[in-house]
Amino acid sequence: MVKAKIAVLVSGGGTNLQALIDAQKSGIIKSGEITLVVSNNENAYALERAKNNNIETAYIPSKASDFETQLIKLLKDKNIDIIVLAGFMKILSENFTRTFENRIINVHPSLIPSFCGKGYYGLRVHEEALKYGVKVTGATVHFVNEIPDGGSIILQKAVYIEDGDTPEVLQKRVMEQAEWIILPEACELVSQKYIKE
Ligand code: GAR
């Protein structure tokens, strides 16, 4: 069996990348292997996490006029089967999402279709959930298409909001109770489809 080759795209701290690395070590992810981590931010701590685990890294500046051309070439050169967006803060074009149809997954820190779409990323999502006053939020892993946060849902997990929550406290709880669990699980499910015998 040849495992599916996974590339993880990151922009920041990379706690979801860490959850994927840990899940690979513990055997939760067994049908895929993280072979590349790409960042659009040179200073992303996620790059250090990859290096600490001997995973190849690449940096493509967000501002590069041919950002997506460079990224597509890299992913094809490395024979990547699955692309995981793990805190990747850049919207990808329809050309990109079609090039890798059914091969890109994203983790979003709310229960889609609430608090998602253009402009909803990172802490902002939790600020809006608290402002609205919902009592339950959570995380969603979904396939990525041309509509921001609009692709079909793979897994979701609910998380309760508690009295006195701040966006930061809620973000941490959603990560711990939902994102770090369902992202590796979804990654394994999708990897199973791209194993080569
Ligand atoms: C995570 O909460 C992730 O769900 C969110 O950014 C954070 C990244 O943290 N992503 C989005 O909002 C995408 N729309 P991390 O770098 O520690 O994984």
Side-chain angles (χ1 to χ4, degrees):
M1 175 191 98
V2 180
K3 292 185 182 190
K5 288 191 174 190
I6 302 169
V8 185
L9 272 50
V10 295
S11 301
T15 64
N16 278 288
L17 169 66
Q18 190 65 53
L20 291 169
I21 293 170
D22 294 347
Q24 189 169 291
K25 286 183 186 160
S26 70
I28 292 169
I29 297 176
K30 53 181 188 296
S31 307
E33 188 180 0
I34 304 164
T35 55
L36 179 66
V37 171
V38 186
S39 179
N40 61 334
N41 166 15
E42 198 174 14
N43 300 315
Y45 184 66
L47 289 173
E48 298 307 313
R49 296 183 192 267
K51 286 174 196 155
N52 291 341
N53 287 278
N54 301 314
I55 300 168
E56 186 179 343
T57 60
Y59 159 60
I60 305 177
S62 255
K63 285 186 189 138
S65 57
D66 60 346
F67 178 86
E68 283 194 2
T69 311
Q70 285 192 49
L71 183 57
I72 291 172
K73 183 175 185 310
L74 177 65
L75 296 168
K76 289 198 165 169
D77 285 351
K78 300 287 176 189
N79 295 312
I80 295 299
D81 297 301
I82 300 168
I83 299 153
V84 180
L85 311 185
F88 184 64
M89 303 300 180
K90 190 169 166 65
I91 291 183
L92 296 161
S93 74
E94 184 165 353
N95 174 51
F96 186 93
T97 58
R98 287 202 184 210
T99 305
F100 298 101
E101 200 155 10
N102 293 322
R103 289 174 182 270
I104 315 171
I105 69 174
N106 178 48
V107 61
H108 182 76
S110 75
L111 294 175
I112 290 176
S114 289
F115 312 114
C116 65
K118 205 164 180 281
Y120 284 91
Y121 55 86
L123 262 190
R124 170 88 210 286
V125 178
H126 304 291
E127 281 164 11
E128 293 299 317
L130 291 175
K131 206 185 283 174
Y132 196 98
V134 290
K135 302 298 176 198
V136 180
T137 184
T140 304
V141 181
H142 62 92
F143 283 108
V144 175
N145 64 11
E146 69 281 6
I147 303 160
D149 298 323
S152 63
I153 290 172
I154 304 167
L155 290 175
Q156 288 189 303
K157 196 163 186 290
V159 174
Y160 283 107
I161 286 170
E162 293 178 13
D163 287 348
D165 271 353
T166 62
E168 290 79 7
V169 167
L170 182 57
Q171 179 182 53
K172 186 156 181 281
R173 188 179 316 115
V174 169
M175 284 175 159
E176 284 172 354
Q177 294 186 7
E179 295 185 49
W180 300 341
I181 299 165
I182 63 171
L183 182 60
E185 286 177 0
C187 209
E188 170 58 19
L189 286 175
V190 177
S191 294
Q192 287 170 4
K193 295 199 220 169
Y194 292 101
I195 288 175
K196 289 172 227 70
E197 296 305 329

